[in-house]
Amino acid sequence: MAEFLQKAFGWAATDSSGVLAPFHFSRRDNGDDDVTIKILYCGVCHSDLHTVKNEWGFTQYPVVPGHEIAGVVTKTGNNVKKFKVGDRVGVGVIVNSCRTCDVCQQDLESYCAKMIFTYNSTDKDGTRTYGGYSDTVVVDQHFVLRFPENVPSDAGAPLLCAGITVYSPMKYYGMTEAGKHLGVAGLGGLGHVAVKFGKAFGLKVTVISTSPKKKAEAINKLGADAFVVSTDAAELEAATGTMDFIIDTIAAVHQLAPLLSLLKMNGKLVTVGLPDKPLDLPIFPLVAGRKMIGGSDFGGIKETQEMLDFCGKHGIAADIELIRADEINAAMERLAKSDVRYRFVIDVGNSLTNL
Protein backbone atom coordinates (compact mmCIF):
# COMPACT_ATOMS: atom_id res chain seq x y z
CA MET A 1 0.00 0.00 0.00
CA ALA A 2 1.36 3.40 -0.97
CA GLU A 3 2.65 5.92 1.55
CA PHE A 4 1.46 9.44 0.79
CA LEU A 5 3.16 12.64 1.86
CA GLN A 6 0.65 15.30 0.75
CA LYS A 7 -1.15 16.40 3.89
CA ALA A 8 -4.90 16.89 3.77
CA PHE A 9 -7.59 17.90 6.24
CA GLY A 10 -11.32 17.33 6.32
CA TRP A 11 -14.31 16.09 8.26
CA ALA A 12 -14.87 12.35 8.71
CA ALA A 13 -17.34 9.97 10.34
CA THR A 14 -15.72 7.16 12.33
CA ASP A 15 -18.78 5.04 13.18
CA SER A 16 -22.45 4.53 12.30
CA SER A 17 -23.57 7.40 14.50
CA GLY A 18 -22.67 9.40 11.41
CA VAL A 19 -21.23 12.24 13.46
CA LEU A 20 -18.47 14.01 11.55
CA ALA A 21 -15.36 15.44 13.18
CA PRO A 22 -12.07 17.03 12.05
CA PHE A 23 -9.76 14.49 10.43
CA HIS A 24 -6.15 14.61 9.24
CA PHE A 25 -5.12 12.33 6.37
CA SER A 26 -2.98 12.38 3.24
CA ARG A 27 -3.43 12.43 -0.53
CA ARG A 28 -1.22 10.91 -3.18
CA ASP A 29 1.35 13.10 -4.85
CA ASN A 30 0.31 14.53 -8.21
CA GLY A 31 1.14 11.99 -10.94
CA ASP A 32 1.69 12.53 -14.66
CA ASP A 33 -2.04 12.16 -15.43
CA ASP A 34 -3.29 13.85 -12.27
CA VAL A 35 -4.83 17.19 -11.42
CA THR A 36 -4.55 18.55 -7.89
CA ILE A 37 -7.55 20.66 -6.89
CA LYS A 38 -7.98 23.10 -4.04
CA ILE A 39 -11.54 22.43 -2.94
CA LEU A 40 -13.68 25.54 -2.51
CA TYR A 41 -17.19 24.05 -2.28
CA CYS A 42 -18.76 20.64 -1.76
CA GLY A 43 -22.43 19.74 -2.00
CA VAL A 44 -24.07 17.58 0.66
CA CYS A 45 -25.81 14.66 -1.07
CA HIS A 46 -28.34 12.26 0.44
CA SER A 47 -25.82 9.52 -0.38
CA ASP A 48 -23.43 11.18 2.07
CA LEU A 49 -26.03 10.82 4.82
CA HIS A 50 -26.75 7.17 3.95
CA THR A 51 -23.02 6.43 3.89
CA VAL A 52 -21.94 8.09 7.14
CA LYS A 53 -24.68 6.15 8.95
CA ASN A 54 -23.89 2.92 7.05
CA GLU A 55 -27.54 2.64 5.99
CA TRP A 56 -26.54 0.80 2.81
CA GLY A 57 -24.29 -1.58 4.74
CA PHE A 58 -20.94 -1.11 2.99
CA THR A 59 -19.35 1.90 4.70
CA GLN A 60 -15.72 1.54 5.76
CA TYR A 61 -14.71 3.98 8.47
CA PRO A 62 -13.24 6.51 8.71
CA VAL A 63 -15.15 8.02 5.81
CA VAL A 64 -14.77 11.55 4.41
CA PRO A 65 -17.93 12.09 2.31
CA GLY A 66 -18.53 14.48 -0.56
CA HIS A 67 -18.86 13.89 -4.30
CA GLU A 68 -20.11 17.26 -5.51
CA ILE A 69 -16.74 18.97 -5.51
CA ALA A 70 -15.93 22.39 -6.97
CA GLY A 71 -12.53 24.04 -6.81
CA VAL A 72 -9.53 25.37 -8.68
CA VAL A 73 -6.58 23.57 -10.21
CA THR A 74 -3.35 24.05 -8.26
CA LYS A 75 -1.12 21.51 -10.05
CA THR A 76 -1.16 19.42 -13.22
CA GLY A 77 0.85 16.37 -14.30
CA ASN A 78 3.12 16.20 -17.34
CA ASN A 79 0.46 14.48 -19.48
CA VAL A 80 -2.35 16.89 -18.61
CA LYS A 81 -3.29 19.11 -21.54
CA LYS A 82 -6.97 19.91 -20.89
CA PHE A 83 -6.49 21.79 -17.63
CA LYS A 84 -4.13 24.43 -16.30
CA VAL A 85 -3.46 25.98 -12.91
CA GLY A 86 -6.30 28.34 -11.95
CA ASP A 87 -9.04 26.60 -13.96
CA ARG A 88 -12.44 26.23 -12.24
CA VAL A 89 -13.14 22.52 -12.15
CA GLY A 90 -15.31 19.87 -10.52
CA VAL A 91 -15.23 16.25 -9.46
CA GLY A 92 -18.35 14.11 -9.24
CA VAL A 93 -19.25 10.65 -7.99
CA ILE A 94 -16.31 8.66 -9.37
CA VAL A 95 -12.56 9.19 -9.68
CA ASN A 96 -11.63 6.14 -11.77
CA SER A 97 -12.85 3.10 -13.70
CA CYS A 98 -11.22 0.29 -15.67
CA ARG A 99 -11.33 2.35 -18.95
CA THR A 100 -11.29 -0.82 -21.07
CA CYS A 101 -14.64 -2.63 -20.61
CA ASP A 102 -17.64 -2.29 -22.95
CA VAL A 103 -19.37 0.32 -20.81
CA CYS A 104 -16.24 2.44 -20.37
CA GLN A 105 -15.74 2.32 -24.15
CA GLN A 106 -19.26 3.80 -24.44
CA ASP A 107 -18.36 6.65 -22.06
CA LEU A 108 -20.54 5.08 -19.38
CA GLU A 109 -17.93 4.85 -16.62
CA SER A 110 -20.76 5.18 -14.11
CA TYR A 111 -21.74 1.56 -14.85
CA CYS A 112 -18.23 0.06 -14.88
CA ALA A 113 -17.94 -2.92 -12.54
CA LYS A 114 -14.55 -1.62 -11.43
CA MET A 115 -15.43 2.06 -10.97
CA ILE A 116 -13.84 3.80 -8.02
CA PHE A 117 -16.05 6.13 -6.04
CA THR A 118 -14.82 9.53 -4.92
CA TYR A 119 -15.11 8.34 -1.32
CA ASN A 120 -15.60 5.07 0.59
CA SER A 121 -13.90 3.12 -2.18
CA THR A 122 -10.57 1.38 -2.71
CA ASP A 123 -8.28 3.11 -5.17
CA LYS A 124 -6.08 1.30 -7.70
CA ASP A 125 -3.09 1.54 -5.34
CA GLY A 126 -5.04 -0.14 -2.52
CA THR A 127 -5.68 3.00 -0.47
CA ARG A 128 -9.06 4.39 0.57
CA THR A 129 -10.63 7.28 -1.32
CA TYR A 130 -11.69 10.33 0.67
CA GLY A 131 -14.22 12.84 -0.60
CA GLY A 132 -14.80 16.54 -0.83
CA TYR A 133 -15.48 17.48 2.79
CA SER A 134 -11.77 18.31 2.70
CA ASP A 135 -9.30 20.93 1.54
CA THR A 136 -7.67 19.23 -1.45
CA VAL A 137 -8.05 16.27 -3.80
CA VAL A 138 -5.87 14.61 -6.46
CA VAL A 139 -7.78 13.16 -9.42
CA ASP A 140 -6.94 11.56 -12.76
CA GLN A 141 -7.57 14.18 -15.47
CA HIS A 142 -10.15 11.97 -17.22
CA PHE A 143 -12.50 12.38 -14.25
CA VAL A 144 -12.11 16.15 -13.86
CA LEU A 145 -14.89 18.36 -15.22
CA ARG A 146 -14.86 21.98 -16.35
CA PHE A 147 -17.40 24.56 -15.19
CA PRO A 148 -18.74 26.90 -17.89
CA GLU A 149 -18.03 30.57 -17.18
CA ASN A 150 -21.59 31.42 -16.19
CA VAL A 151 -22.15 28.45 -13.84
CA PRO A 152 -21.02 29.51 -10.36
CA SER A 153 -18.85 27.10 -8.39
CA ASP A 154 -21.01 27.08 -5.25
CA ALA A 155 -24.40 26.55 -6.92
CA GLY A 156 -22.76 24.47 -9.65
CA ALA A 157 -21.26 21.89 -7.29
CA PRO A 158 -24.54 19.94 -6.75
CA LEU A 159 -24.90 19.51 -10.51
CA LEU A 160 -22.04 16.98 -10.34
CA CYS A 161 -24.32 14.44 -8.65
CA ALA A 162 -27.86 15.81 -8.33
CA GLY A 163 -27.74 17.35 -11.79
CA ILE A 164 -26.31 14.46 -13.77
CA THR A 165 -28.44 11.92 -11.87
CA VAL A 166 -31.59 13.46 -13.36
CA TYR A 167 -30.13 14.68 -16.68
CA SER A 168 -28.85 11.23 -17.68
CA PRO A 169 -32.21 9.39 -17.41
CA MET A 170 -34.05 12.29 -19.01
CA LYS A 171 -31.80 11.90 -22.05
CA TYR A 172 -31.76 8.08 -22.10
CA TYR A 173 -35.50 7.57 -21.62
CA GLY A 174 -36.51 10.31 -24.06
CA MET A 175 -37.83 12.81 -21.54
CA THR A 176 -36.68 15.70 -23.71
CA GLU A 177 -39.49 16.03 -26.26
CA ALA A 178 -40.92 19.53 -26.05
CA GLY A 179 -44.61 19.63 -25.18
CA LYS A 180 -44.66 16.30 -23.33
CA HIS A 181 -45.73 16.16 -19.68
CA LEU A 182 -43.13 15.33 -17.01
CA GLY A 183 -43.91 14.54 -13.39
CA VAL A 184 -41.16 15.12 -10.84
CA ALA A 185 -41.73 13.10 -7.67
CA GLY A 186 -39.96 14.61 -4.69
CA LEU A 187 -38.79 18.21 -4.56
CA GLY A 188 -35.35 18.00 -2.99
CA GLY A 189 -31.80 18.25 -4.29
CA LEU A 190 -32.48 16.11 -7.37
CA GLY A 191 -36.11 17.08 -7.91
CA HIS A 192 -35.63 20.84 -8.04
CA VAL A 193 -32.91 20.46 -10.71
CA ALA A 194 -35.16 18.06 -12.68
CA VAL A 195 -37.83 20.78 -12.78
CA LYS A 196 -35.32 23.23 -14.25
CA PHE A 197 -34.10 20.71 -16.82
CA GLY A 198 -37.67 19.84 -17.78
CA LYS A 199 -38.54 23.45 -18.46
CA ALA A 200 -35.29 23.94 -20.43
CA PHE A 201 -36.27 20.96 -22.62
CA GLY A 202 -39.69 22.55 -23.24
CA LEU A 203 -41.76 20.10 -21.18
CA LYS A 204 -44.84 20.70 -19.12
CA VAL A 205 -43.66 19.96 -15.57
CA THR A 206 -45.76 18.89 -12.60
CA VAL A 207 -44.21 18.46 -9.16
CA ILE A 208 -45.54 15.54 -7.11
CA SER A 209 -44.89 15.99 -3.39
CA THR A 210 -46.23 15.09 0.04
CA SER A 211 -45.60 18.67 1.17
CA PRO A 212 -48.29 21.22 0.20
CA LYS A 213 -46.12 24.05 1.55
CA LYS A 214 -43.71 23.57 -1.36
CA LYS A 215 -46.36 24.41 -3.97
CA ALA A 216 -45.84 28.17 -4.22
CA GLU A 217 -42.07 27.81 -4.45
CA ALA A 218 -42.28 25.00 -7.04
CA ILE A 219 -44.42 27.09 -9.35
CA ASN A 220 -43.28 30.67 -8.66
CA LYS A 221 -39.56 30.13 -8.11
CA LEU A 222 -38.63 26.92 -9.93
CA GLY A 223 -41.04 27.37 -12.84
CA ALA A 224 -43.17 24.22 -12.51
CA ASP A 225 -46.51 24.35 -14.32
CA ALA A 226 -48.51 22.42 -11.74
CA PHE A 227 -48.29 20.73 -8.33
CA VAL A 228 -49.93 17.55 -7.05
CA VAL A 229 -50.05 16.71 -3.35
CA SER A 230 -49.50 12.95 -3.41
CA THR A 231 -51.41 12.38 -0.16
CA ASP A 232 -54.52 14.16 -1.48
CA ALA A 233 -56.83 11.61 -3.14
CA ALA A 234 -58.77 14.26 -5.05
CA GLU A 235 -55.63 15.82 -6.53
CA LEU A 236 -54.30 12.39 -7.51
CA GLU A 237 -57.57 11.49 -9.18
CA ALA A 238 -57.64 14.76 -11.12
CA ALA A 239 -54.14 14.07 -12.44
CA THR A 240 -54.70 10.38 -13.25
CA GLY A 241 -53.47 9.38 -16.70
CA THR A 242 -52.07 12.79 -17.60
CA MET A 243 -48.28 12.34 -17.58
CA ASP A 244 -45.93 10.94 -20.21
CA PHE A 245 -43.04 10.42 -17.80
CA ILE A 246 -42.28 10.60 -14.10
CA ILE A 247 -38.81 10.89 -12.66
CA ASP A 248 -38.94 9.60 -9.09
CA THR A 249 -36.25 11.26 -6.97
CA ILE A 250 -37.60 10.19 -3.56
CA ALA A 251 -34.90 8.72 -1.33
CA ALA A 252 -37.30 7.35 1.32
CA VAL A 253 -39.49 4.24 1.15
CA HIS A 254 -42.73 5.17 -0.66
CA GLN A 255 -45.61 3.71 -2.67
CA LEU A 256 -45.20 3.37 -6.44
CA ALA A 257 -48.87 2.65 -7.23
CA PRO A 258 -50.01 6.30 -6.93
CA LEU A 259 -47.23 7.39 -9.27
CA LEU A 260 -48.05 4.71 -11.83
CA SER A 261 -51.68 5.87 -11.83
CA LEU A 262 -50.61 9.32 -13.03
CA LEU A 263 -49.01 7.97 -16.20
CA LYS A 264 -50.69 7.80 -19.58
CA MET A 265 -50.65 4.58 -21.57
CA ASN A 266 -47.02 3.81 -22.53
CA GLY A 267 -45.86 6.10 -19.73
CA LYS A 268 -42.46 5.70 -18.09
CA LEU A 269 -41.65 5.85 -14.39
CA VAL A 270 -37.90 6.17 -13.83
CA THR A 271 -36.51 5.90 -10.32
CA VAL A 272 -33.26 7.56 -9.29
CA GLY A 273 -33.69 7.84 -5.50
CA LEU A 274 -32.10 5.08 -3.45
CA PRO A 275 -34.33 4.04 -0.52
CA ASP A 276 -32.64 1.72 1.95
CA LYS A 277 -35.45 -0.89 1.70
CA PRO A 278 -37.18 -2.49 -1.31
CA LEU A 279 -40.30 -0.85 -2.74
CA ASP A 280 -43.56 -2.66 -3.56
CA LEU A 281 -44.11 -2.82 -7.31
CA PRO A 282 -47.70 -3.55 -8.38
CA ILE A 283 -47.70 -5.34 -11.73
CA PHE A 284 -51.34 -4.85 -12.80
CA PRO A 285 -50.95 -1.12 -13.60
CA LEU A 286 -47.87 -1.88 -15.70
CA VAL A 287 -49.65 -4.52 -17.73
CA ALA A 288 -52.98 -2.69 -18.06
CA GLY A 289 -51.36 0.54 -19.27
CA ARG A 290 -48.34 -0.91 -21.10
CA LYS A 291 -46.29 1.20 -18.73
CA MET A 292 -42.61 0.90 -18.01
CA ILE A 293 -40.59 1.30 -14.86
CA GLY A 294 -36.85 1.82 -15.11
CA GLY A 295 -33.87 3.01 -13.18
CA SER A 296 -30.80 5.08 -13.84
CA ASP A 297 -27.59 5.98 -12.08
CA PHE A 298 -25.46 9.09 -12.55
CA GLY A 299 -23.97 9.51 -16.00
CA GLY A 300 -20.49 9.06 -17.44
CA ILE A 301 -17.88 11.78 -17.64
CA LYS A 302 -18.66 12.84 -21.22
CA GLU A 303 -22.37 13.19 -20.44
CA THR A 304 -21.64 15.03 -17.19
CA GLN A 305 -19.63 17.62 -19.10
CA GLU A 306 -22.48 17.84 -21.63
CA MET A 307 -24.88 18.46 -18.73
CA LEU A 308 -22.67 21.23 -17.31
CA ASP A 309 -22.50 22.88 -20.75
CA PHE A 310 -26.31 22.57 -21.03
CA CYS A 311 -26.61 24.33 -17.65
CA GLY A 312 -24.30 27.07 -18.93
CA LYS A 313 -26.41 27.54 -22.05
CA HIS A 314 -29.70 27.69 -20.12
CA GLY A 315 -28.50 29.48 -16.98
CA ILE A 316 -29.24 26.54 -14.70
CA ALA A 317 -27.69 26.02 -11.26
CA ALA A 318 -28.86 24.46 -8.01
CA ASP A 319 -30.69 26.44 -5.32
CA ILE A 320 -28.37 26.14 -2.35
CA GLU A 321 -27.94 26.88 1.32
CA LEU A 322 -24.28 27.67 1.95
CA ILE A 323 -22.96 26.34 5.27
CA ARG A 324 -19.69 26.40 7.17
CA ALA A 325 -17.74 23.15 7.57
CA ASP A 326 -18.43 23.10 11.31
CA GLU A 327 -22.18 23.22 10.62
CA ILE A 328 -22.14 19.89 8.76
CA ASN A 329 -23.61 17.76 11.57
CA ALA A 330 -26.57 20.10 12.01
CA ALA A 331 -27.01 20.11 8.23
CA MET A 332 -27.06 16.29 8.16
CA GLU A 333 -29.80 16.29 10.80
CA ARG A 334 -31.83 18.74 8.76
CA LEU A 335 -31.21 16.78 5.55
CA ALA A 336 -32.62 13.65 7.23
CA LYS A 337 -35.84 15.64 7.75
CA SER A 338 -35.77 17.10 4.21
CA ASP A 339 -35.34 20.53 5.78
CA VAL A 340 -33.24 22.18 3.08
CA ARG A 341 -33.98 24.36 0.04
CA TYR A 342 -32.68 22.52 -1.90
CA ARG A 343 -29.05 21.52 -1.40
CA PHE A 344 -26.57 22.21 1.36
CA VAL A 345 -23.16 23.25 0.05
CA ILE A 346 -20.14 23.49 2.33
CA ASP A 347 -18.12 26.67 1.90
CA VAL A 348 -14.90 24.70 2.16
CA GLY A 349 -12.56 27.46 1.03
CA ASN A 350 -13.69 29.94 3.67
CA SER A 351 -14.56 27.70 6.60
CA LEU A 352 -12.45 24.53 6.66
CA THR A 353 -9.93 25.43 9.33
CA ASN A 354 -7.06 23.03 9.87
CA LEU A 355 -7.25 22.25 13.58
Side-chain angles (χ1 to χ4, degrees):
M1 189 175 289
E3 289 289 324
F4 296 152
L5 300 176
Q6 188 167 315
K7 292 188 182 337
F9 176 73
W11 283 67
T14 55
D15 58 45
S16 60
S17 70
V19 175
L20 293 127
F23 178 65
H24 291 270
F25 61 105
S26 54
R27 299 284 193 190
R28 73 171 179 266
D29 290 330
N30 200 90
D32 286 346
D33 293 304
D34 287 336
V35 175
T36 298
I37 300 164
K38 177 184 178 183
I39 298 173
L40 297 179
Y41 301 99
C42 187
V44 180
C45 178
H46 222 285
S47 300
D48 301 346
L49 178 61
H50 284 305
T51 302
V52 297
K53 291 182 174 293
N54 197 25
E55 290 175 347
W56 290 332
F58 49 76
T59 302
Q60 294 191 37
Y61 298 101
V63 60
V64 176
H67 57 206
E68 297 179 342
I69 300 169
V72 292
V73 175
T74 58
K75 191 173 185 179
T76 59
N78 293 331
N79 298 336
V80 176
K81 304 294 184 243
K82 289 195 302 181
F83 302 101
K84 65 183 187 303
V85 171
D87 283 353
R88 281 195 317 124
V89 295
V91 179
V93 181
I94 55 174
V95 291
N96 224 322
S97 67
C98 81
R99 319 278 192 93
T100 57
C101 69
D102 287 347
V103 293
C104 282
Q105 292 299 308
Q106 297 173 67
D107 297 309
L108 294 170
E109 301 94 339
S110 48
Y111 296 97
C112 174
K114 295 181 180 177
M115 66 180 163
I116 295 169
F117 292 106
T118 303
Y119 67 87
N120 194 44
S121 207
T122 301
D123 216 335
K124 289 187 173 181
D125 56 20
T127 58
R128 300 297 298 163
T129 57
Y130 294 118
Y133 295 12
S134 60
D135 56 0
T136 186
V137 67
V138 182
V139 182
D140 185 289
Q141 63 174 332
H142 180 80
F143 295 86
V144 177
L145 297 143
R146 183 184 301 280
F147 281 108
E149 278 186 26
N150 62 332
V151 175
S153 296
D154 54 358
L159 299 173
L160 300 170
C161 174
I164 187 57
T165 300
V166 292
Y167 182 88
S168 186
M170 290 177 79
K171 295 281 287 194
Y172 179 76
Y173 287 101
M175 303 181 186
T176 58
E177 190 180 337
K180 295 285 190 178
H181 188 179
L182 170 71
V184 177
L187 192 61
L190 276 68
H192 90 286
V193 181
V195 172
K196 296 183 182 192
F197 286 160
K199 294 311 297 178
F201 284 127
L203 303 171
K204 176 184 178 182
V205 178
T206 296
V207 171
I208 306 156
S209 173
T210 57
S211 179
K213 63 187 179 191
K214 290 184 178 179
K215 180 175 182 177
E217 199 162 337
I219 293 172
N220 299 331
K221 186 174 182 186
L222 299 176
D225 299 285
F227 191 95
V228 171
V229 179
S230 56
T231 52
D232 186 314
E235 289 195 21
L236 281 176
E237 187 174 349
T240 295
T242 61
M243 299 176 192
D244 298 288
F245 331 102
I246 295 174
I247 186 159
D248 181 358
T249 71
I250 300 168
V253 174
H254 59 288
Q255 296 297 314
L256 295 176
L259 298 179
L260 289 169
S261 73
L262 300 177
L263 290 171
K264 297 176 181 176
M265 180 183 161
N266 299 331
K268 300 173 184 176
L269 169 64
V270 179
T271 62
V272 294
L274 290 169
D276 56 8
K277 293 183 176 63
L279 304 184
D280 287 329
L281 176 61
I283 299 302
F284 270 86
L286 294 181
V287 173
R290 202 164 68 179
K291 297 171 185 178
M292 186 172 86
I293 184 163
S296 180
D297 211 343
F298 61 98
I301 300 302
K302 181 179 178 182
E303 189 175 48
T304 305
Q305 188 62 60
E306 175 192 309
M307 178 271 308
L308 287 173
D309 295 340
F310 179 86
C311 289
K313 181 180 177 182
H314 293 277
I316 294 171
D319 288 13
I320 65 167
E321 190 173 328
L322 204 59
I323 62 168
R324 292 175 46 83
D326 58 11
E327 295 173 321
I328 184 57
N329 288 307
M332 286 287 194
E333 289 179 14
R334 286 180 53 195
L335 178 59
K337 296 182 283 192
S338 301
D339 177 22
V340 55
R341 296 290 187 277
Y342 283 91
R343 198 64 145 193
F344 287 120
V345 172
I346 305 170
D347 186 356
V348 175
N350 289 314
S351 71
L352 189 69
T353 306
N354 193 337
L355 301 178

Short mmCIF file of all heavy atoms in Angstrom, two decimals, residues 81 210 264 318:
data_model
loop_
_atom_site.label_atom_id
_atom_site.label_comp_id
_atom_site.label_asym_id
_atom_site.label_seq_id
_atom_site.Cartn_x
_atom_site.Cartn_y
_atom_site.Cartn_z
N LYS A 81 -3.21 18.04 -20.54
CA LYS A 81 -3.29 19.11 -21.54
C LYS A 81 -4.60 19.90 -21.46
O LYS A 81 -4.68 21.02 -21.92
CB LYS A 81 -3.15 18.52 -22.96
CG LYS A 81 -1.88 17.70 -23.17
CD LYS A 81 -0.63 18.56 -23.09
CE LYS A 81 0.60 17.74 -23.41
NZ LYS A 81 1.53 17.65 -22.28
N THR A 210 -45.37 15.27 -1.14
CA THR A 210 -46.23 15.09 0.04
C THR A 210 -46.40 16.40 0.80
O THR A 210 -47.19 16.47 1.73
CB THR A 210 -45.60 14.06 1.01
OG1 THR A 210 -44.29 14.52 1.38
CG2 THR A 210 -45.51 12.69 0.38
N LYS A 264 -49.88 8.19 -18.43
CA LYS A 264 -50.69 7.80 -19.58
C LYS A 264 -50.32 6.38 -20.00
O LYS A 264 -49.34 5.81 -19.52
CB LYS A 264 -50.40 8.73 -20.77
CG LYS A 264 -50.75 10.19 -20.56
CD LYS A 264 -50.32 11.00 -21.79
CE LYS A 264 -50.62 12.47 -21.61
NZ LYS A 264 -50.13 13.28 -22.76
N ALA A 318 -28.05 24.92 -9.13
CA ALA A 318 -28.86 24.46 -8.01
C ALA A 318 -29.23 25.64 -7.11
O ALA A 318 -28.56 26.67 -7.09
CB ALA A 318 -28.07 23.42 -7.20
#
